[in-house]
Amino acid sequence: MSWSDLDKPKQRLTPEQEAEQRRLNGLFARVFGTADGLEVLALLRSSTIEKPTSPDASHSALVHLEGQRQLVRVIETRVANGRDQHPSELRREYPALRRAAE
C-alpha cells in the first residue's frame, strides 16, 4: 500500500451490497443486542480490548491480541449500526459497566 492508494476514492457499494450489509447489521443487533448478548460483548471487550499487555510481550502475541480486538470492534460496530447508534452508546449498555458504576 502506498500514500497514493489512500487518496483513491472509496469504492461505493451497490444497492444489493448495501441491503446485505443492513441485513447483517440487523442480524448482529438481534443476536448481541439482548441482555445476554451485551453481557457476552462486555466479557469479550474486557478480555481483549481492555486487556493490558506486558512490555515484554512478543510480536506474535501482540499481533494475535490485536486480531482478537479487531474482531470485537467489528461485532460492536455491526451491532451499533443495526441499532442506528454509535458504538460508544452501545458500550454504555454493557451490564458489567453498569454494575461497576453503581
Side-chain angles (χ1 to χ4, degrees), residues 1-13:
M1 177 176 263
S2 67
W3 286 109
S4 61
D5 291 334
L6 296 174
D7 292 332
K8 292 180 182 174
K10 194 173 183 180
Q11 185 177 359
R12 296 191 53 93
L13 298 176

Side-chain angles (χ1 to χ4, degrees), residues 44-89:
L44 290 173
R45 173 170 266 280
S46 69
S47 62
T48 59
I49 295 172
E50 297 169 356
K51 181 180 179 179
T53 55
S54 168
D56 59 342
S58 69
H59 178 266
S60 59
L62 293 173
V63 169
H64 179 74
L65 181 58
E66 191 53 39
Q68 292 176 328
R69 289 172 172 166
Q70 181 59 25
L71 184 57
V72 173
R73 286 186 197 103
V74 166
I75 294 170
E76 287 180 336
T77 299
R78 285 207 176 257
V79 172
N81 288 344
R83 299 169 98 196
D84 292 325
Q85 63 183 173
H86 191 272
S88 63
E89 294 174 31

Side-chain angles (χ1 to χ4, degrees), residues 2-39:
S2 67
W3 286 109
S4 61
D5 291 334
L6 296 174
D7 292 332
K8 292 180 182 174
K10 194 173 183 180
Q11 185 177 359
R12 296 191 53 93
L13 298 176
T14 66
E16 294 81 15
Q17 291 170 323
E18 287 180 4
E20 178 63 7
Q21 292 305 309
R22 282 193 303 276
R23 186 189 75 77
L24 291 172
N25 291 341
L27 181 62
F28 273 84
R30 287 189 301 278
V31 170
F32 289 100
T34 65
D36 289 343
L38 290 172
E39 192 165 346

